[in-house]
Amino acid sequence: MALTLNDYLLVSGMLFAIGFAGVMLRRNIIIIFMCLELMLNAANLSLVAFSRFNLTARILPDGTHTLVPNYNAQILVFFIITVAAAEVAVGLAIIVALYRARQTTHVEDITSLKF
Amino acid sequence: MLNLLIFIPLLAAFAILLGVAPRKTALLAAGSQLAAAILLFFSYDRAGAAFQFASRYPVIPSWHLSYYVAADGLSLVMLLLTSIVTLAAIWVTPPVERRASLFYACLLFISAAAAGAFASQDLFFFYAFHELALIPTFLLIGIWGSGERLAAAWKVTIYLALGSFILLIGLLDLYHSIPEASRTFDMIELQRAVIPSSAQSRPFLLLLIGFGTLVSLVPFHSWAPVAYASAPSPAAMLHAGVLKKFGLYGLLRLALPLLPEGAKHWTGLLLALLAANILYIGFVTIAQRKLDMMLGYSSVMHMGYIFLGIATFNVIGVTGASLLMFAHGLSIAALFAISGMIRERSHTLSFDSLGGLATPMPFLGLAFGMAAFASIGLPGFANFASEIMVFFGAFRTGGSSLQFNGLQLATIGGLWGVVISAVYMLRAYRAIFMGAPSKAISGWSDPAFSHRWPLVLLLASLIVVGFVPKLLLSYLRPAVEALLH
Amino acid sequence: MNNNIPWLILVCPLIAAACILLFTRRAPSFSAHISVFAVCVSFLGSLVAFIVPYSDAPNQLSWIDLGGAFRVPIGLVVDPLSKVMLLIVTGIGALVHIYSLVYMADDKGKSRYFAGLSLFMFSMLGIVLADNFVMMFIFWELVGVSSYILIGHWFTRDAAAKAANKAFLCNRIGDFGFMLGILLIWSATGSFGFSAIREHIALLTANPAFLTVAALCIFCGAMGKSAQFPLHVWLPDAMEGPTPVSALIHAATMVAAGIYMLVRVYFIVSASATAMAVIAWIGIITAVLAALMATQQDDIKRILAYSTLSQLGYMVSAVGNYAPEAAMFHLFTHAFFKALLFLGAGAVIYALHHEQNIWRMGGLRARMPKTFWTFAIGTLALMGCFPFSGFFSKDAVLLAMFHNNGWIFVLGLGTAFLTAFYMMRLVTVAFLGRARTENAEHGHDGPFAMTTPLQILAVLSIVAGWSFVAGPVFGKPFVERLEAGSHTFWVPMLAFVAFAIGAAGGWILYANQPSDPVLIPVFKKKFGIDEFYCLLIGGTQELLAKACRFFDKWIVDGLVVRGLSGATLGTGLIVRFFQFGNLQGYAFLFGLGVVALIYIIVFVH
Amino acid sequence: MHPLSPVTLEIIVVILGVFLLLAESFSKPGDKSWMPQFSIFILACVFGFSFFTSGNVHDAADGGFWTFYSADGPAMFFKRIALAATAIVLVMSIEYKREIERAIPGESPGAGLGEFYALPIFTCAGLMFMASAVDFLLIFVSLELVTVSFYVLVAYMRRSNASLEAGVKYLILGAMSTGFLVYGITWIFGVTGETNLAKIGSYLSHYQGSPQPLLFGIMLILVGLGFKVAAAPFQIWVPDVYQGAPTPVTAYLSVGSKAAGFLVLMRVIQPFLGVPGVGNRVLAIMTVIAALSLLYGNLGAMPQDNLKRMLAYSSIAHAGYLLVAVTSVSAVVGRLGSAEIAIAYYLAGYLLMTLLSFLVMIIVARHSRGDDIVHFNGLCKRSPFLAFGMLVAMLSLAGVPFTAGFYGKFLVFAAAVEQQHFFLVAIGAITVAAGFYYYLRVVAAMYWREPEDGTRIEISFMSRFVIGGLAAAIIVFGIFPQPILGLLRDPTPSGQSEAALKTSAAPSLQ
Amino acid sequence: MSPVIFWIFAAMMLAFGISVIANRSPVASAISLVVSFLCLAALFIGLDAYFISVIEVLVYAGAVMVLFLFIIMLLDLKAEKRRKLNLAAVAGGGLVTAAFVAEIWFVLTDFTKGQQAFPAYEHAGIDDVREIGMTLFSTHNLPFQVIGILILVATVGVVVLSKRELK
């Protein structure tokens, strides 16, 4: 049988959930950060799947019509990846600063602000 | 012209905050405010249009929202009350140790707010002006109060804020229950709007609760006694005498003409509550052992009579109610002024630790006696005239049958309330002024001559109106008739 | 000008009071003379109004005027009834004023006292002249408050303050009924002017039950003012006031107001047989009880006070027995001799340096003869001894009872007997025998200004009952109605017998007794009615008040208001603890929120 | 003169930022206070220019600049809000200089200050792009620009543990919300095949499929945006981050990202409101979120003793009030009860009062070394001017008449009452009372209590000027709101902009 | 791409994803993260998104993972031994995750459109790098520029945050 869109969506959803779970379960900020990357990429997967699924009309140089994937979505994926990279950079910088100040990357150790 | 009444105190308040001599400026402002009020009162052309001295500045044209002041008979009477009590309150103010300027500024703010509320014929400003008085009260009680002033300040402020919010919702609901075409904030325009009777009951209930909270209608009354007990006496005078009347004024202005059906729908509730106001609170008052608390509760109780007058929905009762607003404002102000003077000397107001004051202070004794008898409705004072009208209004349509309707039952309760009020007032008078003077008080003496004038002012106006109620009735009657069409 | 004389009569005392209050507080004696002058003017005015044939109605002012809807006029009615009453009020009033000049000569609150007197006169005259219910009610209340001022004149004495409060409250309770009655009548007839009601009386009689209720409510007012049985407690205590005040209140003004009002609205109350019966019985019960109490009192003024009560009972009962004229007649005579007695008692007290206990007097006959003889005349009149005025009026009252209701008549006779008895006791103990105390040794007659009123009143107490005096005073038709019933001559005989037995009994029991030979605690304790009221008030009003305060403080304010605010704050504290600072937990809460909201928006319909 | 293209505004701002960076790196160490003053001046100029820009330009529908970017009335309005906020935040950061220097030890005094002045400029650019974004791509990108710069700003004070902790919390939760946002965008794209809001709208106008996927997507997007506007239950980060971040950044967070977030929120949900089975449920979920935010914010603020933290809760509360208005987006623009007007006005007022309170707080905190409420005791003795400013701010936040805050609440509840949302109104009653309590606590501290040290507080001219201006603006706009309401109109109403206005400013449930 | 391969890669991706959160040692997590992303890139290829998959590999395997490893080494993070698992947190997190998956599942069952296979299209003459590039630099230029600003800000931020401390 052929693959349906939902197969991809399901897989991406599960990937998203895994990342989500990681954020909630892990204590090490760096690993939490990796899990966030997982979430973003899960979104990427379904985006690409959708872009492949929703074909759009396209005029070839020779004037004939044809259907192509919706590249807007792929551009969005491209942006997401870029943003994710930037976020990682900034985030890791913050983590480094935190580590310098507190010698820890564990969430239990940074609960001075509360209530 | 009307703006003077609002802006004289307002500007004076700002001037004082900027460092002008507080007391003099305040007295001057209050005096000129009273002068302006009297001038307006007599230059009002009773033959002419209902609303005069109008001035209007559009604020949000698209919603017909504008700063709009104008006065009819009712407003004029309330404005007169405002300026009289303001002058008295500022006059009786004893020397203030801390931040005198802030004190007087707050008083003037309250006065301006009250004047604005009574003068403005625009729904938004009508509401806004009143709530403006909230903060000065908060400061006055919190800084210069006595007793558990902090608790009282918090209580009154938050309670009234809540009440005002419910009121705001009620006003908005009222506004939106008006047919799309005729929606406006212009209260005079509004009088012409017809609201489908089905849509009237909810706004009326909201207004009743909102206004009722501001007027300390049972069971929304518990802010009043403690607030008045711990407020400095000028604040108590202004609040109990003037500001509190705003709720009743609002009911007269908006609820009666716009929501007659809603009013009918909730009459039973209203009657039950006002009966509770008179009898239940009356008994609570009897049980009080401190003058200030007793006065606070009595002022709550007397609101019941005004509500009774409103609940009659006929010219006699409603006119009586509006006259009673005036009368009660003056008498309660006088009482609070005197209690303030006593507190100055004794630093306590509990009946057990006072007694025989009339011997060293005959003037205070006399003044308190007059004010007390006025407030329990003795003929010769304005209160009696208005209470009589309220009672007769209630029995207007009785006929000769013993099947009393709720209104008349409430009235009978009210009549008994007259006895109750006699009980507690006389008890207080006996406990404080009669009896043998103790050693401690022998040194005390009457207030200085210049400090007696505010009391004279209040009592004199009470007596004048009591002997010649027509003086005000000729202003009130057309207004009330217009409200009841 | 004639039609303005009533106005003059009315406002003179008011002006006097206002003057004293505003200007001459500092000059007591001057104030005193102002008020005396004012009352004299009123008296002359009344004389003029009485003699000069009355022409047209005095002009009316309108006090409250709401156009068609509602109008309260202030108008004066001048008819034979009010004319007589004017005479009594102003006449006695004038005498009391003059008497007070001496009695209160060196009192600290002299100005206040005379201001009160004038205010009192003003209010009383207002009641007399009122031509409608509302106006009458206004002055009704004013009488209450001025009596409060006068009874509480010596307010530093706790008893006086108490008595004043008591008097005012009893009146207020009566006024509650009075006002309600007025309202009922108004709601039925739509008017409260006496003449107007007389026209619409049909509207009232249409519904007898309603009429009865209304009439009884009105009667409540009278009960309060003229101290009828349930509300009589204030009157004896009112003795705490200065003696002239007692004289004024008891003899001519305040208590008489109730009777006057009943007569004034006779056309309403008489329309309901039930109401009349109630009135008659209340009256006679008051009479008997008061007389019984009087037999055991030791305070000279209290004895007189209770006698007043019982005489008022007579009058009320007379009205209840369809004999308003008899009531007025008795009121007329009683006014004189009771004023006489009080002033006499005042003279004694004055002479004995405020000694009021009759057992500490004695043998005053020799030392103060003028006082004694006048007092004796008053006593005889009160006992109803022929030919003193009291005899005739009491006779008229008894006659009315006899014609109407045998039992009441019997009780009336009994009261007459008791009256004679306790008055005899009073005279014997106080004046005859030998002095029992130091003070009594040095008693002496008062000065001229004190004795003159006594003598005048003595004369009046003798002659007031004779028809050639009463006739012209009350006018012909009145006298005829009075004499209509008096053909049975053994009613007077019985009355006289009752007097004789009572007097003799009093003499036999009390001649030359060092102390009271008979002790009947029930009477001495006034049947414990006061105590009962204390219990009643303490049990109902005070208890209710405390309960209400508790409820208000702990339920309404405490539980509801503080409870709600406390709950809000508490929730705030709970909310706070979601913010526990742990990032993981935050992520978890975040995710929880997301999942929950997704569930709601997607799957909840 | 020929009207500027609206995007010039953003361009100028970006250039300003880059210039500051260069100046920072090439100028020799020393006093940097000219930088913020200069940029305030430039921002003011841009603010001025914003009145001379052309409206939307019609061009080919096949995509291009105008499919991402709209310069309708609301967009310009929120651009101006962003500019004003940024300028005032810069004023604050001048007052805050010392704390920054203490917290980031550089080789030279004032090292790192330049970036601290420059980053808000870029954030401002991001906010302005957000205000104009009508395509999910641009929305996402500009949102991220704002977020990333805020990551840096929040964690800026490297020496202060609080700042770092706040930075980490904001980073993790922010990134998480970004994940949800992206996933939501994905779903919306998947169902509609479009990223442009207008096109999505036109697609949805004849949508037949099942509502579930749409609802799922829109909910995920709401998670992302709700995080930005600090709405419950996505508010969990707010108190900690607000308290830990440098105060100017806190102010900026509470005003800037909230304002832009609300505009985007309205633009985003609008196309869905018309879809049967979707619109009503979107509004329903909005009601839930609004109620939660109101309760959480107001109730949580009551027991707070730290002013900054209290203002954080109050920021949640105000998000709640704004959401109350969002739940009743339906009425025609221009009439009382129109949610858009309410939101726009409310945000403007909120900007004034929040920035005012934060500015006063910075000054007071510097003098009494602490930003707890007790540090305000007897302020009216130490500096009547500051006390008055704070008083006005607090009253406005509490919603006392004749302040901008009151008009905001008035409009919001007018909208709610017109839509008969009495459930929210009832909650509003509780929360308003609570609000009076915790705002007036500050007033009470300033006026009732006596100060520990009576030393007077002296204020720099600029701050005095700004405080006075803000207070005056609060009162003036609280009496005459017309100027602000007028700003909502389109610069040049052309056909295109009408359409844009429809998509943005006047959503309505057909 | 044939379902078999898809499911293999999908399974691997998820498995390594799980191992990211299951591993105690950060290094292992980082490695498995990268592997999982490689599988993801494979899935992209299955969707004819060659450019994206290449980018994915470059950025994540090339940049992000290096960055992660570098930081882990720099901070010399040990595997968390001392702390024992917080059962409540695990249970809660697991529940929430499960609920989330369930929700996605139900949404998908309602998503009728998604139950059909991918439509075929003519690959000839379609070069997705060119397509994306063209769009990026023509119509989608504005967001692209904004991304540029974003990266600038990020750079500045990183510099500021990790500047050398003053001795």
Side-chain angles (χ1 to χ4, degrees), chain C residues 442-560:
Chain C
H442 312 101
H444 54 79
D445 273 328
F448 174 74
M450 220 171 194
T451 48
T452 324
L454 292 180
Q455 287 148 343
I456 298 173
L457 284 169
V459 177
L460 285 171
S461 329
I462 301 173
V463 301
W466 303 349
S467 56
F468 70 80
V469 181
V473 168
F474 285 96
K476 236 167 163 16
F478 187 89
V479 180
E480 280 157 4
R481 254 182 287 122
L482 206 53
E483 281 154 357
S486 61
H487 300 306
T488 54
F489 96 110
W490 54 276
V491 170
M493 279 315 298
L494 282 176
F496 193 81
V497 170
F499 149 71
I501 301 172
W507 169 259
I508 293 161
L509 266 176
Y510 288 95
N512 306 323
Q513 291 289 354
S515 69
D516 201 334
V518 275
L519 275 177
I520 309 174
V522 191
F523 297 168
K524 210 175 181 62
K525 291 257 169 307
K526 314 157 208 157
F527 300 95
I529 292 176
D530 282 321
E531 291 71 10
F532 171 69
Y533 282 174
C534 291
L535 277 177
L536 191 68
I537 292 172
T540 57
Q541 172 185 298
E542 294 304 314
L543 208 62
L544 195 55
K546 288 207 170 27
C548 285
R549 184 183 58 177
F550 178 86
F551 185 81
D552 200 56
K553 189 167 176 203
W554 297 111
I555 308 299
V556 175
D557 191 31
L559 204 64
V560 178

Side-chain angles (χ1 to χ4, degrees), chain C residues 406-455:
Chain C
W407 293 109
I408 296 184
F409 173 67
V410 174
L411 288 174
L413 277 183
T415 314
F417 157 75
L418 288 170
T419 316
F421 175 76
Y422 63 72
M423 284 314 289
M424 197 61 197
R425 166 175 180 266
L426 167 59
V427 173
T428 329
V429 174
F431 287 86
L432 308 179
R434 77 173 57 78
R436 295 187 188 72
T437 59
E438 196 57 18
N439 282 337
E441 302 279 343
H442 312 101
H444 54 79
D445 273 328
F448 174 74
M450 220 171 194
T451 48
T452 324
L454 292 180
Q455 287 148 343

Side-chain angles (χ1 to χ4, degrees), chain C residues 568 572 579 581 586 601-602, chain D residues 169 236 239-240 281 296 299 309:
Chain C
T568 325
Q579 224 64 44
Y586 286 1
I601 191 174
V602 180
Chain D
K169 285 177 173 171
I236 199 77
D240 296 4
R281 284 159 83 173
Y296 194 98
L299 299 185
R309 200 169 174 83

Side-chain angles (χ1 to χ4, degrees), chain C residues 568-569 571-573 575-576 578-579 581-583 586-587 589-591 593-594 597-598 600-605, chain D residues 169 172 176 180 212 215-216 219-220 223 227 233-234 236 239-240 281 285 289 296 299-300 302-304 309 313:
Chain C
T568 325
L569 259 171
T571 330
L573 287 168
V575 161
R576 245 180 127 175
F578 285 108
Q579 224 64 44
N582 184 334
L583 188 47
Y586 286 1
L589 289 176
F590 193 110
V594 173
L597 285 187
I598 291 178
I600 293 172
I601 191 174
V602 180
F603 300 103
V604 174
H605 298 273
Chain D
K169 285 177 173 171
I172 302 296
M176 190 166 163
F180 283 104
Q212 268 72 4
L215 289 168
F216 187 65
M219 187 61 230
L220 291 172
V223 172
F227 178 91
F234 320 114
I236 199 77
D240 296 4
R281 284 159 83 173
I285 208 69
I289 297 178
Y296 194 98
L299 299 185
M302 281 196 291
Q304 298 304 328
R309 200 169 174 83
Y313 280 97

Side-chain angles (χ1 to χ4, degrees), chain D residues 158-224:
Chain D
R158 311 208 298 282
R159 272 278 182 83
S160 118
N161 293 339
S163 174
L164 282 172
E165 176 176 345
V168 172
K169 285 177 173 171
Y170 187 49
L171 172 73
I172 302 296
L173 293 170
M176 190 166 163
S177 77
T178 309
F180 283 104
L181 176 69
V182 172
Y183 199 49
I185 293 176
T186 308
W187 270 92
I188 297 303
F189 169 80
V191 177
T192 65
E194 296 291 350
T195 57
N196 175 296
L197 287 167
K199 291 180 184 163
I200 290 177
S202 50
Y203 175 91
L204 288 176
S205 54
H206 46 76
Y207 176 72
Q208 301 303 344
S210 72
Q212 268 72 4
L214 274 179
L215 289 168
F216 187 65
I218 193 74
M219 187 61 230
L220 291 172
I221 292 180
L222 287 183
V223 172

